[in-house]
């Protein structure tokens, strides 16, 4: 990659995930974090002291003319509002997933970015890791033949046993689908292209959850979202993939993602990570592990932000785009609508697959 001037970034939302972004961002010279803000002043002060940033109010950060990009790591219910505020202040925006609480909110943000001629990006960026770029490479090379079907499973018994503040996982914008679904659906769209239609049934196993982690041990959470979602995605290319996201399962033995083609089957790594095992088989053969064709197999959180900032400097499209994230949001929204109406839901968005990363790039290097 040609050297370019670093992009100055302001962070809004100094919660747990901010440490992952800030600690890894040092690997990407294009990223220059200069300031942070949080609704809790102590949080922004702590983050500023840890990473050598300037602690500001949100309004103060948005008013800074020298900040080009806002990294929005607020809670899901604030994602749309903060994205709009960033764009309206003349700044590009990159958001933690999900892209919004519903399709209408997502459309408003996309339109604002388009009207303002500003970049809009969104997590997850794990599909840019070596594991899922290897999957993409195998599918594109025809290693499994023509993709026909697949499965994707994320099933656990929730987050209240380990997360220090798990309440928002059971509010709108949370639940297993909106929390973990973006990783799985984005990985599938990267490998197979956009989704054409969705049919699903969703349910809620428990009306209340008891927090067993500290510091809120013993507190009760009222569950406001469905916690078991089972759906079938029909892709524009013809593949049919079963997706189950659940916080109502004690234990299971299903693989993260499998893709089955006319010639072979492919098992894919955890889409919540960057590396992992990729294996392929064929008629009568056991799984054969595949050598990873791409770098960035360790935690590379913020690679999507770095890719967007590289695009800002070079003019090329970025991969973890607002259009891709909106499509994933529309897919997730369709689960609930399909369950409520007992009908298939046809999707309106049809983004291009993000460009594959070139083979041969070193860790933390972007084209």
């Amino acid at each position: 990659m040609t050297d370019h001037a670093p992009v100055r970034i302001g962070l809004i939302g100094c919660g747990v995930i901010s440490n992952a972004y800030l600690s890894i961002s040092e690997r990407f010279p294009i990223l220059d974090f200069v300031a942070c803000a949080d609704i809790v002043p102590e949080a922004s002060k702590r983050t500023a002291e840890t990473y050598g940033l300037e602690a500001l109010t949100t309004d103060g950060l948005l008013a800074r003319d020298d900040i080009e990009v806002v990294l929005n790591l607020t809670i899901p219910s604030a994602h749309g509002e903060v994205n709009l505020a960033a764009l309206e202040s003349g700044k590009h925006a990159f958001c933690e997933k999900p892209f919004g609480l519903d399709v209408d909110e997502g459309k408003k943000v996309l339109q604002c970015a388009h009207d303002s001629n500003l970049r809009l990006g969104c997590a997850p960026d794990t599909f840019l890791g070596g594991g899922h770029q290897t999957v993409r490479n195998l599918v594109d090379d025809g290693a499994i033949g023509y993709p026909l079907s697949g499965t994707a499973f994320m099933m656990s018994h929730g987050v209240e046993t380990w997360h220090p503040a798990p309440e928002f996982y059971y509010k709108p914008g949370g639940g297993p689908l909106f929390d973990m679904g973006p990783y799985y659906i984005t990985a599938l769209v990267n490998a197979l292209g956009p989704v054409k239609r969705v049919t699903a049934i969703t349910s809620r196993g428990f009306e209340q959850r008891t927090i067993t982690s500290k510091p809120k041990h013993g507190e009760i959470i009222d569950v406001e979202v469905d916690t078991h979602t089972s759906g079938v995605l029909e892709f524009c290319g013809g593949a049919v993939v079963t997706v189950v996201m659940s916080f109502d399962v004690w234990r299971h033995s299903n693989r993260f993602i499998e893709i089955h083609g006319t010639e072979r089957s492919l098992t894919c790594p955890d889409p919540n990570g960057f590396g992992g095992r990729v294996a392929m088989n064929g008629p009568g053969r056991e799984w054969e592990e595949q050598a990873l064709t791409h770098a960035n197999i360790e935690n590379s959180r913020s690679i999507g932000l770095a890719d967007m900032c590289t695009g800002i400097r070079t003019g090329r499209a970025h991969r973890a785009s607002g259009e891709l994230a909106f499509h994933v949001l529309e897919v997730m929204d369709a689960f609930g609508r399909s369950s409520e109406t007992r009908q298939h839901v046809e999707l309106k968005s049809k983004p291009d697959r993000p460009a594959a990363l070139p083979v041969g790039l070193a860790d933390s290097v972007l084209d």
Side-chain angles (χ1 to χ4, degrees):
M1 182 184 74
T2 304
D3 290 335
H4 296 284
V7 175
R8 292 171 66 84
I9 301 165
L11 163 67
I12 299 178
C14 299
V16 174
I17 193 64
S18 66
N19 292 312
Y21 275 87
L22 289 167
S23 61
I24 300 300
S25 69
E26 298 170 357
R27 289 171 32 191
F28 298 97
I30 194 73
L31 304 179
D32 181 17
F33 281 89
V34 297
C36 63
D38 193 279
I39 194 171
V40 179
E42 293 78 11
S44 58
K45 181 180 179 182
R46 182 171 58 250
T47 297
E49 290 174 348
T50 301
Y51 294 100
L53 310 179
E54 184 176 357
L56 300 171
T57 64
T58 297
D59 288 342
L61 189 152
L62 293 174
R64 284 272 292 266
D65 291 336
D66 62 329
I67 292 176
E68 299 174 73
V69 172
V70 167
L71 174 59
N72 176 7
L73 302 183
T74 57
I75 60 174
S77 60
H79 285 179
E81 176 185 357
V82 173
N83 279 341
L84 284 173
L87 294 167
E88 289 168 354
S89 73
K91 296 168 174 52
H92 309 282
F94 192 94
C95 183
E96 183 50 39
K97 52 79 188 168
F99 187 59
L101 295 182
D102 55 43
V103 168
D104 289 340
E105 183 177 74
K107 283 181 180 177
K108 188 174 181 180
V109 174
L110 266 185
Q111 189 63 50
C112 183
H114 181 267
D115 293 344
S116 304
N117 196 29
L118 291 166
R119 298 270 182 155
L120 183 60
C122 186
D125 57 7
T126 46
F127 73 96
L128 299 176
H132 282 276
Q133 285 297 306
T134 297
V135 169
R136 169 70 178 269
N137 194 50
L138 289 166
V139 172
D140 286 356
D141 284 352
I144 65 170
Y146 194 81
L148 297 175
S149 64
T151 55
F153 294 99
M154 193 299 300
M155 298 188 291
S156 72
H157 212 265
V159 299
E160 63 272 18
T161 60
W162 60 269
H163 198 281
E167 296 93 332
F168 76 87
Y169 284 94
Y170 298 99
K171 310 299 180 187
L177 183 60
F178 273 67
D179 177 47
M180 295 301 295
Y183 296 104
Y184 288 76
I185 298 168
T186 301
L188 287 167
V189 172
N190 176 61
L192 301 173
V195 177
K196 180 179 179 181
R197 65 174 177 166
V198 175
T199 184
I201 297 175
T202 68
S203 63
R204 192 174 311 180
F206 304 87
E207 294 298 328
Q208 292 185 321
R209 299 274 181 148
T210 302
I211 301 175
T212 56
S213 60
K214 293 182 179 181
K216 298 185 177 184
H217 188 279
E219 293 185 19
I220 302 297
I221 304 171
D222 290 326
V223 178
E224 299 178 18
V225 294
D226 285 349
T227 47
H228 184 91
T229 60
S230 180
V232 179
L233 313 184
E234 180 188 1
F235 287 78
C236 293
V240 175
V241 178
T242 300
V243 176
V244 181
M245 304 279 118
S246 182
F247 282 167
D248 293 344
V249 173
W250 290 108
R251 184 176 295 275
H252 73 96
S253 56
N254 297 289
R255 293 186 175 93
F256 299 109
I257 296 175
E258 290 184 353
I259 300 172
H260 309 290
T262 53
E263 303 297 329
R264 289 179 175 80
S265 291
L266 183 64
T267 183
C268 311
D270 183 354
N272 192 22
F274 289 85
R277 178 176 179 264
V278 178
M280 190 166 58
N281 76 348
R285 294 205 301 268
E286 297 297 319
W287 291 109
E288 298 173 355
E289 189 159 349
Q290 305 296 300
L292 299 187
T293 56
H294 288 70
N296 300 302
I297 63 174
E298 302 298 331
N299 185 6
S300 300
R301 192 80 63 176
S302 75
I303 189 174
L305 174 63
D307 186 66
M308 187 180 85
C309 290
T310 301
I312 291 171
R313 290 290 184 257
T314 64
R316 69 155 170 80
H318 60 283
R319 294 171 170 92
S321 67
E323 289 77 12
L324 173 61
F326 176 77
H327 183 66
V328 171
L329 174 63
E330 190 183 10
V331 170
M332 296 190 299
D333 183 77
F335 272 70
R337 290 197 289 130
S338 176
S339 185
E340 290 170 6
T341 62
R342 301 186 180 186
Q343 295 179 343
H344 296 298
V345 175
E346 300 278 344
L347 300 186
K348 296 181 179 179
S349 62
K350 189 180 178 182
D352 294 331
R353 280 200 300 171
L357 282 168
V359 175
L361 294 179
D363 276 348
S364 309
V365 176
L366 292 162
D367 54 320

Short mmCIF file of all heavy atoms in Angstrom, two decimals, residues 314-363:
data_model
loop_
_atom_site.label_atom_id
_atom_site.label_comp_id
_atom_site.label_asym_id
_atom_site.label_seq_id
_atom_site.Cartn_x
_atom_site.Cartn_y
_atom_site.Cartn_z
N THR A 314 -7.40 6.93 -1.02
CA THR A 314 -7.11 6.47 -2.38
C THR A 314 -8.28 6.63 -3.33
O THR A 314 -8.09 6.60 -4.55
CB THR A 314 -6.72 4.98 -2.38
OG1 THR A 314 -7.84 4.20 -1.94
CG2 THR A 314 -5.53 4.73 -1.45
N GLY A 315 -9.50 6.73 -2.80
CA GLY A 315 -10.68 6.83 -3.65
C GLY A 315 -11.34 5.51 -3.98
O GLY A 315 -12.41 5.49 -4.57
N ARG A 316 -10.72 4.39 -3.59
CA ARG A 316 -11.35 3.09 -3.88
C ARG A 316 -12.47 2.81 -2.89
O ARG A 316 -12.55 3.40 -1.81
CB ARG A 316 -10.30 1.97 -3.83
CG ARG A 316 -9.75 1.66 -2.46
CD ARG A 316 -9.24 0.22 -2.41
NE ARG A 316 -8.49 -0.10 -1.22
CZ ARG A 316 -9.03 -0.40 -0.04
NH1 ARG A 316 -10.35 -0.35 0.13
NH2 ARG A 316 -8.26 -0.73 0.98
N ALA A 317 -13.35 1.87 -3.25
CA ALA A 317 -14.43 1.46 -2.35
C ALA A 317 -13.86 0.75 -1.14
O ALA A 317 -12.82 0.08 -1.22
CB ALA A 317 -15.40 0.56 -3.09
N HIS A 318 -14.55 0.88 0.00
CA HIS A 318 -14.14 0.12 1.18
C HIS A 318 -15.07 -1.08 1.36
O HIS A 318 -16.17 -1.12 0.80
CB HIS A 318 -14.12 1.00 2.43
CG HIS A 318 -15.43 1.64 2.79
ND1 HIS A 318 -15.94 2.73 2.12
CD2 HIS A 318 -16.35 1.32 3.74
CE1 HIS A 318 -17.10 3.08 2.66
NE2 HIS A 318 -17.38 2.24 3.63
N ARG A 319 -14.62 -2.06 2.11
CA ARG A 319 -15.28 -3.37 2.12
C ARG A 319 -16.37 -3.49 3.18
O ARG A 319 -17.44 -4.02 2.91
CB ARG A 319 -14.20 -4.45 2.30
CG ARG A 319 -13.25 -4.53 1.08
CD ARG A 319 -12.08 -5.44 1.34
NE ARG A 319 -11.30 -5.71 0.13
CZ ARG A 319 -10.24 -4.98 -0.26
NH1 ARG A 319 -9.83 -3.95 0.47
NH2 ARG A 319 -9.61 -5.28 -1.37
N ALA A 320 -16.12 -3.07 4.41
CA ALA A 320 -17.13 -3.14 5.47
C ALA A 320 -18.01 -1.90 5.34
O ALA A 320 -18.00 -0.99 6.18
CB ALA A 320 -16.46 -3.21 6.84
N SER A 321 -18.80 -1.86 4.28
CA SER A 321 -19.51 -0.65 3.88
C SER A 321 -20.87 -0.53 4.55
O SER A 321 -21.44 -1.49 5.07
CB SER A 321 -19.71 -0.65 2.36
OG SER A 321 -20.60 -1.69 1.99
N GLY A 322 -21.41 0.68 4.50
CA GLY A 322 -22.76 0.89 5.00
C GLY A 322 -23.78 0.10 4.21
O GLY A 322 -24.77 -0.40 4.76
N GLU A 323 -23.58 -0.03 2.89
CA GLU A 323 -24.51 -0.79 2.06
C GLU A 323 -24.54 -2.26 2.46
O GLU A 323 -25.61 -2.89 2.51
CB GLU A 323 -24.13 -0.66 0.58
CG GLU A 323 -24.39 0.71 -0.01
CD GLU A 323 -23.33 1.75 0.40
OE1 GLU A 323 -22.27 1.36 0.94
OE2 GLU A 323 -23.57 2.96 0.17
N LEU A 324 -23.36 -2.83 2.73
CA LEU A 324 -23.30 -4.22 3.18
C LEU A 324 -23.98 -4.37 4.54
O LEU A 324 -24.78 -5.29 4.76
CB LEU A 324 -21.83 -4.66 3.28
CG LEU A 324 -21.56 -6.04 3.90
CD1 LEU A 324 -22.23 -7.14 3.09
CD2 LEU A 324 -20.06 -6.28 4.04
N ALA A 325 -23.68 -3.45 5.47
CA ALA A 325 -24.27 -3.52 6.80
C ALA A 325 -25.78 -3.33 6.76
O ALA A 325 -26.51 -3.97 7.53
CB ALA A 325 -23.62 -2.48 7.71
N PHE A 326 -26.25 -2.45 5.88
CA PHE A 326 -27.70 -2.27 5.76
C PHE A 326 -28.36 -3.54 5.25
O PHE A 326 -29.45 -3.92 5.71
CB PHE A 326 -28.01 -1.11 4.83
CG PHE A 326 -29.49 -0.95 4.59
CD1 PHE A 326 -30.30 -0.35 5.54
CD2 PHE A 326 -30.08 -1.43 3.43
CE1 PHE A 326 -31.67 -0.24 5.35
CE2 PHE A 326 -31.44 -1.31 3.22
CZ PHE A 326 -32.25 -0.71 4.18
N HIS A 327 -27.73 -4.21 4.29
CA HIS A 327 -28.29 -5.46 3.78
C HIS A 327 -28.39 -6.50 4.90
O HIS A 327 -29.41 -7.19 5.03
CB HIS A 327 -27.42 -5.99 2.64
CG HIS A 327 -27.94 -7.24 2.01
ND1 HIS A 327 -29.12 -7.28 1.29
CD2 HIS A 327 -27.44 -8.51 1.99
CE1 HIS A 327 -29.33 -8.51 0.85
NE2 HIS A 327 -28.32 -9.27 1.26
N VAL A 328 -27.36 -6.60 5.72
CA VAL A 328 -27.37 -7.52 6.85
C VAL A 328 -28.48 -7.14 7.82
O VAL A 328 -29.20 -8.00 8.35
CB VAL A 328 -26.00 -7.54 7.54
CG1 VAL A 328 -26.06 -8.34 8.85
CG2 VAL A 328 -24.94 -8.14 6.61
N LEU A 329 -28.66 -5.83 8.07
CA LEU A 329 -29.75 -5.36 8.93
C LEU A 329 -31.10 -5.74 8.34
O LEU A 329 -32.00 -6.20 9.07
CB LEU A 329 -29.65 -3.84 9.09
CG LEU A 329 -30.80 -3.16 9.84
CD1 LEU A 329 -30.88 -3.65 11.29
CD2 LEU A 329 -30.65 -1.64 9.80
N GLU A 330 -31.26 -5.60 7.03
CA GLU A 330 -32.52 -5.94 6.39
C GLU A 330 -32.79 -7.45 6.51
O GLU A 330 -33.94 -7.87 6.73
CB GLU A 330 -32.51 -5.53 4.92
CG GLU A 330 -33.88 -5.66 4.27
CD GLU A 330 -33.89 -5.33 2.79
OE1 GLU A 330 -32.81 -5.17 2.19
OE2 GLU A 330 -35.01 -5.24 2.24
N VAL A 331 -31.74 -8.27 6.39
CA VAL A 331 -31.90 -9.72 6.57
C VAL A 331 -32.39 -10.02 7.99
O VAL A 331 -33.33 -10.79 8.19
CB VAL A 331 -30.58 -10.45 6.29
CG1 VAL A 331 -30.68 -11.92 6.71
CG2 VAL A 331 -30.20 -10.35 4.82
N MET A 332 -31.74 -9.40 8.99
CA MET A 332 -32.12 -9.67 10.38
C MET A 332 -33.53 -9.18 10.68
O MET A 332 -34.30 -9.85 11.37
CB MET A 332 -31.10 -9.03 11.32
CG MET A 332 -29.71 -9.62 11.20
SD MET A 332 -28.56 -9.08 12.49
CE MET A 332 -28.51 -7.30 12.21
N ASP A 333 -33.87 -8.01 10.17
CA ASP A 333 -35.21 -7.47 10.35
C ASP A 333 -36.25 -8.41 9.74
O ASP A 333 -37.36 -8.57 10.27
CB ASP A 333 -35.29 -6.09 9.71
CG ASP A 333 -36.64 -5.42 9.90
OD1 ASP A 333 -36.90 -4.92 11.01
OD2 ASP A 333 -37.44 -5.41 8.93
N ALA A 334 -35.88 -9.07 8.64
CA ALA A 334 -36.80 -9.98 7.96
C ALA A 334 -37.14 -11.21 8.79
O ALA A 334 -38.22 -11.79 8.62
CB ALA A 334 -36.22 -10.41 6.61
N PHE A 335 -36.23 -11.63 9.67
CA PHE A 335 -36.53 -12.75 10.56
C PHE A 335 -37.81 -12.47 11.35
O PHE A 335 -38.73 -13.29 11.40
CB PHE A 335 -35.38 -13.00 11.53
CG PHE A 335 -34.29 -13.91 11.02
CD1 PHE A 335 -33.44 -13.51 10.01
CD2 PHE A 335 -34.12 -15.17 11.58
CE1 PHE A 335 -32.43 -14.34 9.56
CE2 PHE A 335 -33.12 -16.02 11.13
CZ PHE A 335 -32.27 -15.60 10.11
N GLY A 336 -37.84 -11.31 12.01
CA GLY A 336 -39.01 -10.97 12.83
C GLY A 336 -40.26 -10.78 12.00
O GLY A 336 -41.34 -11.25 12.38
N ARG A 337 -40.14 -10.14 10.85
CA ARG A 337 -41.31 -9.90 10.00
C ARG A 337 -41.86 -11.21 9.44
O ARG A 337 -43.08 -11.41 9.36
CB ARG A 337 -40.97 -8.93 8.87
CG ARG A 337 -40.74 -7.52 9.36
CD ARG A 337 -40.80 -6.52 8.22
NE ARG A 337 -39.64 -6.62 7.34
CZ ARG A 337 -39.72 -6.73 6.03
NH1 ARG A 337 -40.90 -6.77 5.44
NH2 ARG A 337 -38.63 -6.80 5.30
N SER A 338 -40.95 -12.12 9.08
CA SER A 338 -41.40 -13.41 8.57
C SER A 338 -42.12 -14.20 9.65
O SER A 338 -43.16 -14.82 9.40
CB SER A 338 -40.22 -14.21 8.03
OG SER A 338 -40.61 -15.49 7.62
N SER A 339 -41.57 -14.18 10.86
CA SER A 339 -42.19 -14.92 11.96
C SER A 339 -43.56 -14.35 12.29
O SER A 339 -44.52 -15.10 12.53
CB SER A 339 -41.28 -14.86 13.20
OG SER A 339 -41.80 -15.65 14.24
N GLU A 340 -43.69 -13.03 12.27
CA GLU A 340 -44.96 -12.39 12.61
C GLU A 340 -46.02 -12.64 11.53
O GLU A 340 -47.19 -12.90 11.84
CB GLU A 340 -44.76 -10.89 12.80
CG GLU A 340 -43.97 -10.54 14.05
CD GLU A 340 -43.59 -9.06 14.07
OE1 GLU A 340 -44.04 -8.31 13.17
OE2 GLU A 340 -42.83 -8.66 14.98
N THR A 341 -45.62 -12.56 10.27
CA THR A 341 -46.59 -12.67 9.18
C THR A 341 -46.76 -14.09 8.66
O THR A 341 -47.69 -14.36 7.89
CB THR A 341 -46.16 -11.78 7.99
OG1 THR A 341 -44.89 -12.24 7.49
CG2 THR A 341 -46.03 -10.32 8.43
N ARG A 342 -45.84 -14.98 9.07
CA ARG A 342 -45.83 -16.36 8.59
C ARG A 342 -45.69 -16.43 7.08
O ARG A 342 -46.30 -17.27 6.41
CB ARG A 342 -47.10 -17.10 9.07
CG ARG A 342 -47.25 -17.13 10.57
CD ARG A 342 -48.42 -17.97 11.02
NE ARG A 342 -48.54 -17.97 12.47
CZ ARG A 342 -49.40 -18.72 13.16
NH1 ARG A 342 -50.22 -19.54 12.50
NH2 ARG A 342 -49.44 -18.68 14.47
N GLN A 343 -44.87 -15.52 6.55
CA GLN A 343 -44.65 -15.46 5.11
C GLN A 343 -43.16 -15.27 4.81
O GLN A 343 -42.39 -14.83 5.66
CB GLN A 343 -45.43 -14.29 4.49
CG GLN A 343 -46.93 -14.44 4.59
CD GLN A 343 -47.66 -13.24 3.99
OE1 GLN A 343 -47.07 -12.19 3.78
NE2 GLN A 343 -48.94 -13.42 3.69
N HIS A 344 -42.78 -15.62 3.58
CA HIS A 344 -41.45 -15.26 3.12
C HIS A 344 -41.35 -13.73 3.05
O HIS A 344 -42.33 -13.04 2.80
CB HIS A 344 -41.19 -15.81 1.71
CG HIS A 344 -41.19 -17.31 1.62
ND1 HIS A 344 -40.30 -18.10 2.29
CD2 HIS A 344 -41.98 -18.15 0.92
CE1 HIS A 344 -40.53 -19.37 2.01
NE2 HIS A 344 -41.55 -19.42 1.18
N VAL A 345 -40.14 -13.22 3.26
CA VAL A 345 -39.89 -11.79 3.13
C VAL A 345 -38.86 -11.58 2.03
O VAL A 345 -37.73 -12.08 2.12
CB VAL A 345 -39.39 -11.16 4.45
CG1 VAL A 345 -39.02 -9.70 4.23
CG2 VAL A 345 -40.46 -11.29 5.53
N GLU A 346 -39.24 -10.88 0.97
CA GLU A 346 -38.32 -10.55 -0.12
C GLU A 346 -37.51 -9.32 0.27
O GLU A 346 -38.06 -8.33 0.77
CB GLU A 346 -39.11 -10.26 -1.39
CG GLU A 346 -39.96 -11.43 -1.89
CD GLU A 346 -39.16 -12.45 -2.68
OE1 GLU A 346 -38.02 -12.12 -3.09
OE2 GLU A 346 -39.67 -13.57 -2.88
N LEU A 347 -36.20 -9.38 0.03
CA LEU A 347 -35.34 -8.26 0.38
C LEU A 347 -35.26 -7.27 -0.77
O LEU A 347 -35.30 -7.65 -1.95
CB LEU A 347 -33.94 -8.77 0.72
CG LEU A 347 -33.88 -9.76 1.91
CD1 LEU A 347 -32.44 -10.07 2.25
CD2 LEU A 347 -34.59 -9.21 3.13
N LYS A 348 -35.13 -6.00 -0.43
CA LYS A 348 -35.07 -4.95 -1.43
C LYS A 348 -33.63 -4.56 -1.77
O LYS A 348 -33.35 -4.16 -2.90
CB LYS A 348 -35.85 -3.73 -0.95
CG LYS A 348 -37.35 -4.00 -0.79
CD LYS A 348 -38.09 -2.77 -0.33
CE LYS A 348 -39.60 -3.06 -0.19
NZ LYS A 348 -40.34 -1.86 0.28
N SER A 349 -32.74 -4.64 -0.78
CA SER A 349 -31.34 -4.26 -1.04
C SER A 349 -30.60 -5.42 -1.70
O SER A 349 -30.91 -6.59 -1.48
CB SER A 349 -30.64 -3.87 0.26
OG SER A 349 -30.60 -4.95 1.17
N LYS A 350 -29.64 -5.07 -2.54
CA LYS A 350 -28.84 -6.08 -3.23
C LYS A 350 -27.43 -5.53 -3.47
O LYS A 350 -27.05 -5.18 -4.58
CB LYS A 350 -29.50 -6.47 -4.56
CG LYS A 350 -28.85 -7.68 -5.24
CD LYS A 350 -29.56 -8.01 -6.54
CE LYS A 350 -28.88 -9.17 -7.26
NZ LYS A 350 -29.53 -9.48 -8.56
N PRO A 351 -26.63 -5.47 -2.40
CA PRO A 351 -25.29 -4.89 -2.55
C PRO A 351 -24.35 -5.84 -3.29
O PRO A 351 -24.56 -7.05 -3.32
CB PRO A 351 -24.83 -4.71 -1.10
CG PRO A 351 -25.51 -5.84 -0.37
CD PRO A 351 -26.87 -5.95 -1.03
N ASP A 352 -23.34 -5.26 -3.91
CA ASP A 352 -22.28 -6.09 -4.46
C ASP A 352 -21.51 -6.75 -3.33
O ASP A 352 -21.41 -6.21 -2.22
CB ASP A 352 -21.32 -5.23 -5.28
CG ASP A 352 -21.97 -4.63 -6.52
OD1 ASP A 352 -22.91 -5.27 -7.05
OD2 ASP A 352 -21.55 -3.55 -6.95
N ARG A 353 -20.96 -7.92 -3.61
CA ARG A 353 -20.05 -8.50 -2.63
C ARG A 353 -18.85 -7.58 -2.45
O ARG A 353 -18.36 -7.01 -3.44
CB ARG A 353 -19.55 -9.87 -3.09
CG ARG A 353 -20.52 -11.00 -2.85
CD ARG A 353 -19.79 -12.34 -2.86
NE ARG A 353 -19.11 -12.61 -4.12
CZ ARG A 353 -18.28 -13.64 -4.30
NH1 ARG A 353 -18.01 -14.46 -3.30
NH2 ARG A 353 -17.71 -13.83 -5.47
N PRO A 354 -18.36 -7.42 -1.22
CA PRO A 354 -17.14 -6.62 -1.05
C PRO A 354 -15.99 -7.27 -1.80
O PRO A 354 -15.92 -8.50 -1.91
CB PRO A 354 -16.91 -6.64 0.46
CG PRO A 354 -17.66 -7.83 0.97
CD PRO A 354 -18.84 -7.99 0.06
N ALA A 355 -15.09 -6.47 -2.32
CA ALA A 355 -13.94 -7.01 -3.04
C ALA A 355 -13.12 -7.91 -2.13
O ALA A 355 -12.90 -7.60 -0.95
CB ALA A 355 -13.08 -5.87 -3.57
N ALA A 356 -12.67 -9.03 -2.66
CA ALA A 356 -11.79 -9.91 -1.88
C ALA A 356 -10.44 -9.22 -1.67
O ALA A 356 -9.99 -8.45 -2.52
CB ALA A 356 -11.60 -11.23 -2.61
N LEU A 357 -9.81 -9.51 -0.54
CA LEU A 357 -8.46 -9.00 -0.33
C LEU A 357 -7.49 -9.78 -1.22
O LEU A 357 -7.63 -11.01 -1.38
CB LEU A 357 -8.05 -9.16 1.13
CG LEU A 357 -8.62 -8.14 2.11
CD1 LEU A 357 -8.39 -8.59 3.54
CD2 LEU A 357 -8.01 -6.76 1.88
N PRO A 358 -6.50 -9.12 -1.81
CA PRO A 358 -5.54 -9.84 -2.63
C PRO A 358 -4.75 -10.86 -1.81
O PRO A 358 -4.43 -10.63 -0.64
CB PRO A 358 -4.61 -8.73 -3.14
CG PRO A 358 -5.40 -7.46 -3.02
CD PRO A 358 -6.27 -7.67 -1.81
N VAL A 359 -4.45 -12.00 -2.42
CA VAL A 359 -3.58 -12.99 -1.79
C VAL A 359 -2.16 -12.41 -1.72
O VAL A 359 -1.70 -11.76 -2.65
CB VAL A 359 -3.58 -14.30 -2.59
CG1 VAL A 359 -2.58 -15.30 -2.02
CG2 VAL A 359 -4.99 -14.91 -2.61
N GLY A 360 -1.49 -12.65 -0.60
CA GLY A 360 -0.11 -12.24 -0.49
C GLY A 360 0.17 -11.01 0.35
O GLY A 360 1.32 -10.69 0.63
N LEU A 361 -0.89 -10.30 0.76
CA LEU A 361 -0.68 -9.15 1.63
C LEU A 361 -0.24 -9.61 3.01
O LEU A 361 -0.74 -10.62 3.55
CB LEU A 361 -1.95 -8.32 1.75
CG LEU A 361 -2.47 -7.61 0.50
CD1 LEU A 361 -3.75 -6.86 0.82
CD2 LEU A 361 -1.42 -6.66 -0.06
N ALA A 362 0.67 -8.87 3.61
CA ALA A 362 1.12 -9.19 4.96
C ALA A 362 0.11 -8.71 5.99
O ALA A 362 -0.84 -7.97 5.67
CB ALA A 362 2.49 -8.54 5.20
N ASP A 363 0.29 -9.13 7.23
CA ASP A 363 -0.55 -8.64 8.32
C ASP A 363 -0.62 -7.11 8.31
O ASP A 363 0.42 -6.44 8.14
CB ASP A 363 0.00 -9.09 9.68
CG ASP A 363 -0.45 -10.49 10.06
OD1 ASP A 363 -1.36 -11.01 9.41
OD2 ASP A 363 0.10 -11.03 11.02
#
